[in-house]
Amino acid sequence: MECIQDKTELGDISTEKKSHTYSECEKSFSCRSSLSQHEKIHTGEKRHPCSECQKRFTRKHHLTRHVRTHTGEKPHKCSECHKSFPCKFRLTEHERTHTGEKPYQCPECHKRFTQKTNLSRHERSHTGQKPYQCSECPNSYQCKTDLTQHERTHTGQKSHKCSECQKTFSRKKVLTRHELTHTGQKSHQCSECPKNFSRKYLLTQHERTHTGEKPYHCSECRESFSYKLSLTLHERTHTGEKPYQCSECHKNFRERASLTHHEQTHTGQKPYQCSECLKTFSYKTSLIIHQRTHTGEKPYQCLECQKSFGVKRHLTVHERTHNGGRTSSVL
């Protein structure tokens, strides 16, 4: 109540004298109650438990926000598109997608962001800082969400379930992408060719096959890529990072798809069957490559001599005959 009264009297709390200082970190506050709340960060005190899952919180409003993950309540609604959010700051962040406001600017390269967390994450791309470390293995990450996603490779947790087919996923955005396979919705059309896409970023990536644009550059060797994922995977060849671990034999992999493929060597599962000869395969890519022996399709073409290949790695090997043994970027 002390804080509210001060703010009312002075109009702008930013002009108020910050006379309450915490001795541990020397951070100052304008009112005693804010100092008391801050002290709990250092003491670890969490007095507010959730009655559903017993998780504890230092502040009452943090508990209130958390409880909505159980109830599904979303009381804050956007006046533009009527999308709802469980907490006010999420609504504020969302509203910037309508206004175009980007209040947070990087002091290094002056790039602007709608969210402060995105700015903090971006700044680590300049410093190289990776403060979030996995407790199971030596891998560390620049943002907490990446660590959370990585930790699921150890626990096998897949908490997001499709309501149509009951398939589960470790990440919500992967579930969202999967759900489009049920609706068949493809509302984003390429202006160059008749191809349609279910998501805007897939259209953007596809359009680069027409323009030849490769906006993602490796800071180590300056190789360029059309897709950010391709750059991320490439950078691991420099860092040696292998964030995906097999729960059976603890072997690590650079790519999630490689881990999925590897896990099938433990189960012996071969879920992909050729409709022509009924041969089965562990991997979908293996089935696709095999099917080309029936169709004669050769989708990978050399830009130098126009020779075509059914397998991408065969094209890569062939290209070395033109460039003196060096591997060119085909991504």
Side-chain angles (χ1 to χ4, degrees):
M1 293 301 295
E2 182 186 343
C3 283
I4 296 171
Q5 186 179 3
D6 289 344
K7 185 174 181 180
T8 304
E9 289 172 357
L10 295 174
D12 185 357
I13 202 165
S14 63
T15 64
E16 195 177 347
K17 184 179 178 182
K18 295 183 177 181
S19 57
H20 303 280
T21 303
Y22 187 60
S23 58
E24 288 289 325
C25 64
E26 315 235 333
K27 195 167 184 179
S28 298
F29 300 88
S30 54
C31 56
R32 179 71 192 173
S33 60
S34 295
L35 172 61
S36 298
Q37 291 288 353
H38 174 77
E39 286 174 335
K40 293 170 185 174
I41 297 172
H42 294 280
T43 62
E45 181 185 0
K46 295 182 178 182
R47 297 173 52 195
H48 305 285
C50 172
S51 59
E52 286 287 327
C53 64
Q54 306 308 313
K55 192 171 182 180
R56 305 183 71 88
F57 299 86
T58 55
R59 300 188 182 188
K60 180 76 180 289
H61 74 271
H62 289 170
L63 170 61
T64 302
R65 191 166 63 206
H66 164 78
V67 167
R68 291 174 186 151
T69 64
H70 297 298
T71 63
E73 182 189 4
K74 295 182 178 181
H76 303 283
K77 184 180 287 189
C78 174
S79 58
E80 287 286 327
C81 65
H82 308 297
K83 192 172 182 180
S84 298
F85 299 86
C87 47
K88 181 72 186 291
F89 83 90
R90 293 294 183 200
L91 170 61
T92 302
E93 289 175 345
H94 164 78
E95 286 174 329
R96 292 175 187 146
T97 64
H98 297 298
T99 64
E101 182 192 6
K102 294 183 177 182
Y104 304 104
Q105 186 176 42
C106 173
E108 226 20 75
C109 65
H110 308 299
K111 191 173 181 179
R112 304 189 73 93
F113 299 87
T114 56
Q115 299 178 28
K116 189 174 183 179
T117 53
N118 290 344
L119 170 61
S120 299
R121 185 164 55 224
H122 165 80
E123 286 177 324
R124 292 178 193 133
S125 68
H126 296 298
T127 64
Q129 183 188 11
K130 294 183 177 181
Y132 301 101
Q133 186 163 11
C134 177
S135 58
E136 293 287 327
C137 69
N139 288 330
S140 56
Y141 298 87
Q142 289 184 344
C143 56
K144 191 173 182 179
T145 53
D146 289 343
L147 171 61
T148 302
Q149 289 165 10
H150 162 77
E151 286 176 330
R152 290 174 185 151
T153 65
H154 296 298
T155 64
Q157 181 188 4
K158 293 183 178 181
S159 54
H160 304 286
K161 183 184 286 189
C162 174
S163 58
E164 287 287 325
C165 65
Q166 311 307 310
K167 192 172 182 180
T168 56
F169 301 87
S170 57
R171 299 162 69 183
K172 186 174 182 179
K173 68 178 182 181
V174 178
L175 167 62
T176 303
R177 189 163 61 227
H178 163 80
E179 287 174 329
L180 294 172
T181 64
H182 294 297
T183 64
Q185 181 185 2
K186 292 185 178 181
S187 56
H188 304 283
Q189 185 171 15
C190 177
S191 58
E192 292 287 327
C193 68
K195 209 163 184 183
N196 294 293
F197 298 88
S198 56
R199 306 190 73 183
K200 180 71 185 292
Y201 83 93
L202 293 176
L203 170 61
T204 302
Q205 289 178 355
H206 164 77
E207 286 174 331
R208 291 176 188 146
T209 64
H210 297 297
T211 64
E213 182 190 7
K214 293 182 178 181
Y216 302 103
H217 308 284
C218 175
S219 58
E220 289 286 328
C221 66
R222 310 310 302 171
E223 192 168 355
S224 300
F225 300 87
S226 299
Y227 314 130
K228 189 175 182 180
L229 175 61
S230 298
L231 171 62
T232 301
L233 296 177
H234 166 80
E235 285 176 329
R236 290 173 186 159
T237 65
H238 295 297
T239 63
E241 183 188 7
K242 294 182 178 181
Y244 303 105
Q245 188 177 57
C246 174
S247 58
E248 287 288 325
C249 65
H250 308 297
K251 189 174 181 179
N252 290 353
F253 298 87
R254 288 193 185 98
E255 304 177 40
R256 182 183 293 274
S258 297
L259 170 61
T260 302
H261 294 166
H262 165 79
E263 287 174 330
Q264 288 166 355
T265 65
H266 294 297
T267 63
Q269 183 184 9
K270 293 186 177 182
Y272 303 103
Q273 187 173 47
C274 175
S275 58
E276 290 286 327
C277 64
L278 306 185
K279 190 172 181 180
T280 56
F281 299 87
S282 299
Y283 316 134
K284 189 174 182 179
T285 52
S286 299
L287 170 61
I288 292 170
I289 291 169
H290 164 79
Q291 286 174 326
R292 291 173 188 151
T293 63
H294 297 297
T295 64
E297 182 190 9
K298 293 183 178 181
Y300 302 104
Q301 187 176 51
C302 175
L303 298 177
E304 289 286 330
C305 66
Q306 279 70 56
K307 191 173 181 179
S308 297
F309 299 87
V311 183
K312 190 175 182 180
R313 69 174 179 273
H314 292 169
L315 170 61
T316 303
V317 171
H318 165 80
E319 285 178 325
R320 292 176 185 147
T321 64
H322 294 298
N323 58 28
R326 296 186 305 275
T327 305
S328 65
S329 173
V330 294
L331 295 171

